[in-house]
Amino acid sequence: MNNLMGWLCHYTPVEILTASGYTPYRLLGRKGNNPRAASYLLGNLCPYVQSCLEAALRQELPPLAGVVITRSCNAMIHLANVWPRYGLKGTTLTLNVPRRLDEDAVIYFGLELRRLASELAGTQLNEESLWAAITWWEKQRAAWREVFTSRAAVQCHQSGREIMDALARWQRSLNPGEGEEGTVIINGLARYPCYQNDRRPRLLLAGSILPEELIAMVEECGGLSVFEDSCNGRRLLLAPAAGAEKDPYLYLARLYLGGPPCPRMVGEGEKRYRYWAEAVDRFHIQGVIYHVMKFCDAAMYDFLALKAFCEKRGLPLLRLDGDFSGGNRGQWQTRLEAFLEMLEVQ
Amino acid sequence: MDIYKLLRSYLEGSIRQRALKSSWTYKIIKQAVAAQKRHYPWQASHRLLLHTIDQAAAAFLQKGPVVWHNVFFPTEILYGLGAIPFAPEAAAVVATGLGIAGRVLQRAEGDWLSSEACTFHRLAHGCDREGYFPPPAAVVCSSHLCDTAPQSLAATAAYHGVPFYLLDVPHRQDDAALEYVARQLKRITFSLVEALNLDWNGDRFQKALVNSNAARERLLAVNRLRQQRPACIRGEEAHSFIYLILACFGAPGTVEVYEELLTELNRRYREQRRAVPEEKARLLWLHLRPYYPNAIFQILEQEAGAVVVGEEMNYVYWEPLDPERPFYSLARKVLSHHGLGPVTRRIEAILAMADNYQASGVIHFAHWGCRQSTAGLRLLQDALRERDIPFLNLEGDCVDQSKYAPGAVRTRLEGFLEMLL
């Protein structure tokens, strides 16, 4: 039986997929333009979502038993509409994710997760298996959070590119039953050489989803990415759940809604501000680069909030626009070099 | 009379923002509009304009706490609280008419608001930051359909340092969603009472729901009349009443406007006063229309006899409200929106509208930056094709005139009409 279950948004509870007997597989898009997807998803829509649909239409994805699509933004909502008709065969499941964090939202999200679990498992999911999956994933994330924390130290850390490469591998085909591959990836990072006396400017990179080639280019140009605030970066690792909870669905609801907020969580602006402030202080950030994904409404306004934050903190900020196609390299490079030069002068 | 010309004369030069805050501006405009009553082809339009001027005056003169809201938030709550609702997206349309769109869009761009964002919200941003809009005492916004509105309104609330209340609307219509939305509505209502120091008046709150039901009944009656052949009101004329459904449900004035429209429509149907001399085709209009001078309706209705007989935005998608259970019935209204949830719900609603209005063609105006309305069109197009209903997706911008290309629009419309007639 094919047991890969695709997912896109970091609010997808992979624990439920694992406990239901599936191997979670994150769709991370593809390089290049998306002409076929554009004929199904009309208008100016998120290139990441278009890219995932394009990969499916071109049959570039491994065979999936289905896909879980969160209705977390307009682009995802529309993807959920077209996927079953034009995407891949298999189950298409949707999940509503609240845009706020309060007790009502937690209860509602808990019910949604319970519904998703019964749809995935075809029956009531065994709670013991779910707790086992929760524990396993939390161990994985805790190990990752340690790796991230180690980057706060000035002398010793992995490069942003290495981290993001490993995270990309970690998000695909990961299951407790498959050779503890996640642990291997994380432990592998520890064997990377330490960067002693690194004088490269320490940067925070932010955006909805960060293209890997951007991080690579930042470091090729002489910067050092030490904190990636994106749904394929730090936000993916959530935050340890606070307090005891007997219901696994409510536990997961709190875990996911309570993590570092995505720009879509408009009611959580202050929390996002505190999250940036903590990252800047703890990771000794000297400059910020914001990648605005084309047509991502949340990112457009999130940039304005980050700009206000940077102005208040006197932090240099560079905005780069991208379409997730792997293009823009020439323009990015020129602007990055100028930005990093300015940081070095400072 | 050109109302915008008159307003522009008051908004010139450095006194422009002050003019908006002067009671004389509204007195003079209202008197001038009132004096022109006979020149309006529809008395309901005249009444609508007077109603809108009163609303604008109340907001700009700060006759009470002004609460900004997006066009999908249930305004019955705001009218029920005695607050003064202000819809920046709708007000952005007025900015277009006043000819200040270019200037305020530049301001938005200067504030790093990307040109990929919805122009309604960019305009609203620019108008607010340039001092053209009344400052809010609080901001409320629902999350459904539009991703930009919550972001834009949250940013505005932060800019003015006022409370922001988000109504988070799930994409399911089950009991859990109903409970979740109803509880939020109740909390938002009483948070507004507390934050704005309002007097809670249960009777007034219920009255707003009664008004909403009365407006709904009349709008349904208007829609039923418009489903008859031949059309007695042109789409261009009917389109302005969309403002009511977006920003005025719960207000007594809304009932009066619809009542007037219903009376006039009834009379015209009795007298068989046709909208166009020869009705050659009946069209359904999806989403909004451009609000600057353009030739679209001239080409369709007056030149080709293809009358827009129904608008998606005038569709009554909800059941009557229960004033005894205000929050649950408002939650049910919010969750009933045909644009919420899988696109199949919207498609079903549009196909039903096409049947009811006996529409032979459908036009969707794809407003730049509006992803919620446009992205799912392929499935709608397929569904209409299966029913042999011609469909045109007309791309453009509702409020930015610089994006309007008259030649290209005419070519596309003529191509569509050739297929239709």
Side-chain angles (χ1 to χ4, degrees), chain A residues 39 42 44 74 77-78 81 86 94 96 98-100 102 104 108 112 115 263 294-295 297 304 307, chain B residues 111-112 116 145 147-148 151 166 168 170-172 180 183-184 187 342-343 368 371-372 375-376 378 382:
Chain A
S39 67
L42 302 185
N44 312 312
N74 257 318
I77 289 165
H78 287 296
N81 286 326
Y86 307 115
T94 57
N96 286 308
R99 285 176 195 250
R100 53 190 308 151
D102 56 28
D104 285 342
Y108 179 72
E112 271 290 291
R115 188 195 46 74
K294 271 182 100 66
F295 312 125
D297 295 318
L304 301 187
K307 182 172 164 283
Chain B
D111 287 349
W112 287 83
E116 289 153 15
L145 305 187
D147 272 0
T148 310
Q151 298 285 348
L166 176 75
D168 181 36
H171 284 257
R172 254 180 255 284
Y180 179 47
R183 286 174 69 89
Q184 289 182 75
R187 199 171 51 238
V343 75
W368 171 257
R371 298 171 232 295
Q372 60 94 5
R378 172 62 190 265
D382 289 352

Side-chain angles (χ1 to χ4, degrees), chain A residues 64-95:
Chain A
L64 300 175
V67 63
V68 178
I69 302 176
T70 57
R71 289 195 176 119
S72 46
C73 63
N74 257 318
M76 290 287 182
I77 289 165
H78 287 296
L79 182 69
N81 286 326
V82 301
W83 190 278
R85 176 117 180 214
Y86 307 115
L88 278 182
K89 288 175 186 165
T91 323
T92 304
L93 296 166
T94 57
L95 177 72

Side-chain angles (χ1 to χ4, degrees), chain B residues 29-67:
Chain B
I29 290 169
K30 203 170 169 188
Q31 277 174 13
V33 170
Q36 299 283 324
K37 189 176 179 191
R38 287 187 185 172
H39 297 279
Y40 282 78
W42 292 83
Q43 290 308 296
S45 300
H46 182 256
R47 194 180 279 266
L48 171 64
L49 186 53
L50 290 175
H51 175 63
T52 311
I53 294 168
D54 283 343
Q55 280 192 319
F60 281 97
L61 302 177
Q62 303 270 312
K63 289 182 178 171
V66 177
V67 179

Side-chain angles (χ1 to χ4, degrees), chain A residues 3 8 12 25 60 70 113 157 170 213 234 270 312 316:
Chain A
N3 72 342
L8 295 98
T12 312
Y25 180 90
E60 291 173 354
T70 57
L113 296 178
H157 47 74
W170 182 73
E213 61 271 16
R234 178 63 186 84
E270 280 179 27
K312 205 168 174 183

Side-chain angles (χ1 to χ4, degrees), chain A residues 172-189:
Chain A
R172 288 170 161 163
S173 305
L174 198 59
N175 216 340
E178 293 179 2
E180 294 293 324
E181 195 184 336
T183 315
V184 172
I185 293 171
I186 300 165
N187 290 342
L189 275 174

Side-chain angles (χ1 to χ4, degrees), chain A residues 42-253:
Chain A
L42 302 185
N44 312 312
L45 209 67
C46 167
Y48 162 62
V49 161
Q50 299 246 20
S51 173
C52 291
L53 181 64
E54 184 80 15
L57 292 167
R58 288 176 184 266
Q59 303 190 330
E60 291 173 354
L61 297 174
L64 300 175
V67 63
V68 178
I69 302 176
T70 57
R71 289 195 176 119
S72 46
C73 63
N74 257 318
M76 290 287 182
I77 289 165
H78 287 296
L79 182 69
N81 286 326
V82 301
W83 190 278
R85 176 117 180 214
Y86 307 115
L88 278 182
K89 288 175 186 165
T91 323
T92 304
L93 296 166
T94 57
L95 177 72
N96 286 308
V97 186
R99 285 176 195 250
R100 53 190 308 151
L101 171 61
D102 56 28
E103 214 38 38
D104 285 342
V106 167
I107 291 168
Y108 179 72
F109 194 39
L111 290 170
E112 271 290 291
L113 296 178
R114 194 176 281 277
R115 188 195 46 74
L116 175 73
S118 64
E119 284 177 6
L120 268 170
T123 173
Q124 192 69 26
L125 190 61
N126 179 307
E127 287 200 359
E128 256 178 50
S129 330
L130 184 51
W131 277 117
I134 288 171
T135 309
W136 187 80
W137 275 100
E138 259 313 280
K139 267 188 193 165
Q140 292 279 316
R141 289 199 194 98
W144 265 113
R145 284 194 289 264
E146 260 182 53
V147 171
F148 263 71
T149 306
S150 73
R151 302 164 78 198
V154 176
Q155 294 293 323
C156 177
H157 47 74
Q158 300 79 13
S159 72
R161 184 184 188 168
E162 289 153 359
I163 292 279
M164 294 303 277
D165 276 352
L167 263 179
R169 276 184 282 131
W170 182 73
Q171 292 169 74
R172 288 170 161 163
S173 305
L174 198 59
N175 216 340
E178 293 179 2
E180 294 293 324
E181 195 184 336
T183 315
V184 172
I185 293 171
I186 300 165
N187 290 342
L189 275 174
R191 290 196 292 273
Y192 278 93
C194 291
Y195 293 89
Q196 299 289 341
N197 299 321
D198 200 329
R199 294 192 178 181
R200 288 182 287 176
R202 297 170 64 84
L203 303 169
L204 184 154
L205 269 67
S208 38
I209 182 165
L210 285 170
E212 283 179 45
E213 61 271 16
L214 173 63
I215 296 155
M217 187 183 285
V218 165
E219 295 188 335
E220 278 163 23
C221 290
L224 184 65
S225 172
V226 293
F227 195 94
E228 296 82 18
D229 169 29
S230 65
C231 70
N232 56 340
R234 178 63 186 84
R235 293 205 293 268
L236 184 67
L237 306 176
L238 308 178
E245 180 63 71
K246 285 180 181 169
D247 182 323
Y249 298 102
L250 287 178
Y251 177 89
L252 285 172

Side-chain angles (χ1 to χ4, degrees), chain B residues 230-250:
Chain B
C232 289
I233 182 167
R234 286 185 285 114
E236 187 169 28
E237 296 165 327
H239 202 98
S240 57
F241 295 99
I242 286 174
Y243 170 67
L244 295 171
I245 210 168
L246 297 177
C248 305
F249 264 61

